[in-house]
Amino acid sequence: MSPLPEPVSHPSGHRRSQPRATNRLVTRASVLALGLVTAVSVQAVANDGRTEWQFTALLDGDVVGTHDFVVEPAGPPSTERRTLTSRARFTVKVLGIALYRYRHEVRERWHDGCLESIAARTDDNGTVTEVDGRLRGDRFDVVVRDPADASQRSSADSGRGCVWSFAYWNPALARQQRLLDPGTGRMTPVEIQSLPDRSIEVAGRRVQARGIRIIGSANPIDVWYHDERWVGLDTTVGGGRTLSYRMR
């Protein structure tokens, strides 16, 4: 998964210019690495082990899009292999005119609780970034590309050991110290703090949720769990506005 939309840095390290409205409305904290899920229950779990989260994305309480996640087994249970697919679509409008669009798709493979590979494509208001990462031996290599310019390509060693992305869906996220951002390909050192319990809306009803705060991106990200299931997310984006994920 990825953190929150903000202007994405160019692989060369230079930031591309974005419309002023984009900078005001949305800042990339750590994506939207956000998510959502299902009908009356907090989360949809199929008999075959497939789990879905379906979130509505809200900017200061107004609906701006959706972010959906699916985690499913990628082999026999004994192999501890899972695949995540995630799709986000945001459109920010003022007086009916679209001022900002964000599209993000990612596919991750996990093995024994660690990231094995990742393929992500982010369209941040017309600026497209592709990220491919793979575990090679004990090293996780990442390649970042700009599809519009073949000369713009960068590679990075995202570290050794067990690599994690912004996997909000997994409560073990609270024990991580570095997270890979699928939107940029960068590893982000993070500090994770516990939050006081609070009541939030989940699929039309109020539940008591346990929270953690991820510090290390442009803005802190608050992630909420009910019965150890991910049920919501809140962060501050450009212009001091609040971006939230709530289950639909």
Side-chain angles (χ1 to χ4, degrees):
M1 271 186 261
S2 148
L4 290 172
E6 86 180 327
V8 174
S9 294
H10 192 277
S12 66
H14 300 292
R15 184 178 296 275
R16 291 184 174 181
S17 61
Q18 295 285 339
R20 182 178 302 174
T22 299
N23 293 330
R24 285 202 313 267
L25 298 174
V26 194
T27 302
R28 168 157 212 118
S30 171
V31 159
L32 284 345
L34 323 142
L36 309 267
V37 67
T38 159
V40 181
S41 64
V42 172
Q43 167 180 13
V45 181
N47 292 333
D48 60 1
R50 172 188 173 103
T51 306
E52 298 183 14
W53 293 261
Q54 298 174 337
F55 290 95
T56 297
L58 305 155
L59 186 64
D60 283 348
D62 295 327
V63 175
V64 293
T66 62
H67 197 161
D68 298 342
F69 298 82
V70 177
V71 173
E72 52 194 335
S78 60
T79 65
E80 289 296 322
R81 292 183 183 275
R82 291 189 284 183
T83 298
L84 164 83
T85 55
S86 171
R87 293 180 177 84
R89 297 177 63 85
F90 298 172
T91 301
V92 178
K93 297 181 179 180
V94 175
L95 300 177
I97 300 173
L99 297 182
Y100 176 82
R101 291 183 175 88
Y102 178 86
R103 304 290 185 263
H104 175 75
E105 296 187 4
V106 62
R107 181 177 178 84
E108 300 174 354
R109 292 183 64 88
W110 292 75
H111 183 210
D112 287 338
C114 299
L115 192 61
E116 193 173 57
S117 68
I118 184 170
R121 186 180 191 275
T122 303
D123 182 342
D124 191 346
N125 213 37
T127 298
V128 178
T129 304
E130 293 179 346
V131 173
D132 287 295
R134 185 170 299 275
L135 184 65
R136 301 184 187 280
D138 65 346
R139 186 179 70 182
F140 197 90
D141 292 333
V142 176
V143 175
V144 181
R145 292 187 298 270
D146 177 356
D149 187 349
S151 67
Q152 299 297 335
R153 175 189 179 105
S154 63
S155 301
D157 177 358
S158 291
R160 289 166 172 78
C162 184
V163 172
W164 271 58
S165 63
F166 282 78
Y168 305 126
W169 50 273
N170 190 336
L173 176 73
R175 300 194 293 269
Q176 307 309 309
Q177 297 179 327
R178 297 195 316 153
L179 298 173
L180 174 65
D181 179 354
T184 65
R186 300 189 186 111
M187 288 298 296
T188 304
V190 296
E191 175 187 350
I192 299 182
Q193 302 174 347
S194 296
L195 295 173
D197 291 357
R198 59 166 285 194
S199 174
I200 70 169
E201 184 172 327
V202 176
R205 61 190 178 94
R206 306 295 298 186
V207 303
Q208 198 68 10
R210 174 184 67 83
I212 61 171
R213 174 166 292 170
I214 304 172
I215 300 172
S217 299
N219 296 297
I221 301 172
D222 296 345
V223 186
W224 301 100
Y225 299 91
H226 175 71
D227 290 340
E228 295 308 298
R229 296 171 178 174
W230 179 35
V231 296
L233 176 151
D234 297 295
T235 190
T236 301
V237 295
R241 306 182 73 178
T242 299
L243 178 67
S244 301
Y245 280 13
R246 292 295 182 264
M247 293 225 182
R248 62 178 188 268

